[in-house]
Amino acid sequence: MSARKAYDDVLRLMREHHEWFNRSIPLIASENVPSPAVREACMSDFANRYAEGWPGERVYAGCVYIDQVELICNDLARRVFKSEFADCRATSGVVANLAIYAAFSNPGDWMMAASIPTGGHISHGKKEHAGTAGLVHGLNIEHYPFLREEMTIDVDGTKKKIEEMARDGKKPTLAMFGGSLFLFPHPVKELSQFMHDHGIHINYDGAHVAGLIAGGEFQDPLREGADTMTMSSHKTLWGPQGGIIVAYEKFADGIKKGIFPGNTSSHHLHHVAGKAIALAESLEFGKDYARQVVRNAKALAGALAEAGFGVLGEKRGYTMSHQMAVDVTKFGDGGTIEKDLEKAGIILNRQLLPGDIKAGRHYMHPGGVRIGVPEVTRLGMKESEMKEIASFIKRVVVDKKDPAQVAKDVAEFRRQYQKVQYAFDNAVGAYEYISLVNRR
Ligand SMILES: *Cc1c(COP(=O)(O)O)cnc(C)c1O
């Protein structure tokens, strides 16, 4: 392939991606669509600069405006999450977690975390699974006992386990709450006193639910006893991809060193500007948005259950967050269903469910799918649209209709939702492709 062809192909493929998303229903629980202002930040010259260190104490010159933006960003993060301290330099949620491991544990220490099938994230994982905590920081991991009916961590079982570990000389130094399959709040309030009595540092990984916490939904980890909270800036929070850490002031020094020089050099300043804009939007519109996200999730879960799907957490109303877990074993496997739905313009992901491993299912063909509503909510959809989405999913998965046919109806449905809502500005379309080289 000639250089020119490769160049043209990349530009064309990006444009086609935008057009595809503009006629699809995006339901990946960890994704969202940023406002035009956040996209503008990502295109700015901030992307090409270095600002190692802390605002006012930089290792580089040229940071006059960058420093002001980063100070605004930190201030907004403190206000949105009501925290004493904020560091917005982590380039991702995983990097934020690495900074916490570096600051508050040593290789060889033990950490409590949720297992992957019960919702844990690979960055909390064991070395034998190539999990970040084990592989990169040398932590040993013990999993929380899990209540499958309630779909959350077992409080009494956890206390017993930690006491046993202490007796065996394996007392944990860190406890990680939060996860990626995350339907109901974790018992931070119920366990924080017990953990602190055992000298355990508590980090809450709010990667998925940061936008809900910002809007006063789900739970309030720092008030419930978490010492520090890490997050991604681009899931239910609608910023550019990146990470943020908020914490009590006494942990500030450790976190700052854990980020720089510990785990970053460049900290992606265009994304810091984007995070600042997203946090300002959250301060203004975050409450209404978070409330609607949770309502939409409950509405979609209920409609799917009515359509014959096995939605997990039925006993507790399916979900209290932005996502739901659906057992699809009656209709096929999660991997095949993911692909069929993608052909229909319904974009979601397969999901390993609690019990899958024991049943002999694995990551490529698990028993479930995970569905999230942060992005469709940002596009302005409400409960009635959730019913329509459930019927599109049913046509493909239950009625086995031709996905290409459903795709046409999906595209028609999507035409009414072209703009980002809950934003100061939305003149540019949510997925409108902005070209700098082919200016129309
Ligand atoms: C997505 C996720 C992360 C990783 O975040 P990135 O920003 O993709 O690095 C960390 N923890 C949890 C629980 C997540 O779901």
Side-chain angles (χ1 to χ4, degrees):
M1 191 190 288
S2 74
R4 182 68 211 201
K5 174 151 191 333
Y7 172 93
D8 289 336
D9 277 358
V10 171
L11 290 169
R12 172 181 58 78
L13 290 166
M14 289 194 293
R15 190 184 291 271
E16 286 178 6
H17 171 88
H18 276 244
E19 286 161 5
W20 184 36
F21 266 69
N22 209 26
R23 57 174 190 269
S24 301
I25 300 176
L27 295 169
I28 303 271
S30 57
E31 293 179 354
N32 211 326
V33 57
S35 67
V38 167
R39 287 169 66 195
E40 185 163 326
C42 293
M43 288 207 298
S44 74
D45 182 65
F46 275 35
N48 314 311
R49 305 298 146 204
Y50 267 94
E52 285 179 349
W54 196 249
E57 308 161 13
R58 302 293 197 193
V59 181
Y60 284 74
C63 301
V64 172
Y65 300 100
I66 290 164
D67 276 11
Q68 294 176 59
V69 167
E70 192 167 316
L71 289 171
I72 292 172
C73 192
N74 290 343
D75 178 55
L76 286 166
R78 289 193 301 266
R79 284 166 64 191
V80 166
F81 295 101
K82 300 180 192 71
S83 67
E84 294 175 359
F85 173 75
D87 188 332
C88 296
R89 295 175 299 171
T91 50
S92 75
V94 169
V95 166
N97 285 341
L98 270 170
I100 295 295
Y101 302 152
F104 305 110
S105 71
N106 290 306
D109 285 357
W110 286 85
M111 177 171 86
M112 300 299 300
S115 71
I116 307 275
T118 66
H121 188 255
I122 193 66
S123 63
H124 313 167
K126 297 183 181 188
K127 182 169 182 174
E128 58 259 45
H129 303 139
T132 311
L135 190 69
V136 182
H137 197 62
L139 288 174
N140 296 301
I141 315 297
E142 188 67 63
H143 291 145
Y144 294 113
F146 192 76
L147 301 170
R148 238 207 265 177
E149 288 271 293
E150 280 77 18
M151 287 297 287
T152 194
I153 292 167
D154 175 1
V155 171
D156 293 333
T158 298
K159 287 182 179 170
K160 232 169 82 195
K161 197 162 209 176
I162 289 173
E163 271 158 2
E164 277 166 24
M165 289 169 75
R167 232 176 288 131
D168 298 345
K170 304 190 324 193
K171 195 165 73 129
T173 33
L174 270 179
M176 184 66 102
F177 285 106
S180 306
L181 177 66
F182 203 6
L183 308 177
F184 300 103
H186 276 173
V188 182
K189 202 170 43 207
E190 292 80 353
L191 283 166
S192 57
Q193 188 61 51
F194 175 86
M195 286 175 165
H196 282 149
D197 288 347
H198 281 76
I200 298 171
H201 178 98
I202 301 172
N203 183 70
Y204 184 95
D205 182 343
H208 259 269
V209 292
L212 303 181
I213 292 169
E217 297 280 337
F218 204 60
Q219 66 186 130
D220 190 1
L222 291 178
R223 253 58 55 191
E224 292 170 22
D227 298 307
T228 54
M229 172 169 147
T230 50
M231 70 193 88
S232 300
S233 47
H234 52 270
K235 297 185 180 177
T236 51
L237 200 62
W238 42 36
Q241 292 200 333
I244 297 175
I245 305 176
V246 292
Y248 287 94
E249 184 64 40
K250 62 180 168 186
F251 303 112
D253 272 351
I255 292 167
K256 282 161 85 171
K257 287 192 194 111
I259 290 289
F260 174 79
N263 281 285
T264 61
S265 166
S266 160
H267 60 279
H268 303 185
L269 304 161
H270 51 322
H271 287 194
V272 173
K275 288 172 200 174
I277 287 167
L279 288 164
E281 291 167 345
S282 184
L283 210 51
E284 185 79 11
F285 308 104
K287 232 179 166 49
D288 289 343
Y289 172 71
R291 198 181 307 127
Q292 191 61 49
V293 165
V294 175
R295 281 185 188 159
N296 283 353
K298 285 184 192 295
L300 183 54
L304 288 169
E306 220 166 278
F309 287 94
V311 187
L312 272 61
E314 182 181 1
K315 206 173 128 184
R316 301 182 68 186
Y318 306 117
T319 182
M320 287 171 70
S321 74
H322 60 297
Q323 52 164 271
M324 64 216 70
V326 183
D327 181 333
V328 294
T329 47
K330 257 200 288 182
F331 309 109
D333 73 89
T336 308
I337 285 170
E338 174 193 280
K339 286 278 165 290
D340 288 346
L341 286 168
E342 189 184 55
K343 285 184 208 136
I346 299 165
I347 300 170
L348 49 70
N349 65 282
R350 63 182 183 276
Q351 176 71 43
L352 210 53
L353 298 179
D356 266 357
I357 302 278
K358 282 199 186 96
R361 288 187 285 268
H362 58 91
Y363 180 70
M364 287 309 289
H365 296 285
V369 295
R370 185 183 66 171
I371 304 180
V373 298
E375 191 160 349
V376 291
T377 306
R378 190 95 201 267
L379 292 171
M381 296 189 198
K382 302 229 155 72
E383 288 93 324
S384 60
E385 286 83 356
M386 297 305 115
K387 295 207 174 94
E388 292 196 57
I389 292 174
S391 80
F392 288 131
I393 294 174
K394 174 174 179 285
R395 277 166 64 191
V396 176
V397 181
V398 182
D399 307 336
K400 307 286 182 206
K401 296 283 188 246
D402 177 15
Q405 202 56 43
V406 178
K408 287 186 191 151
D409 297 338
V410 164
E412 182 60 32
F413 166 76
R414 259 303 310 281
R415 281 221 242 168
Q416 310 149 68
Y417 309 97
Q418 296 287 306
K419 298 281 176 73
V420 160
Q421 307 299 326
Y422 310 94
F424 291 108
D425 292 287
N426 71 353
V428 170
Y431 306 90
E432 193 172 328
Y433 188 76
I434 312 285
S435 179
L436 301 182
V437 292
N438 289 311
R439 298 178 65 181
R440 276 177 280 185

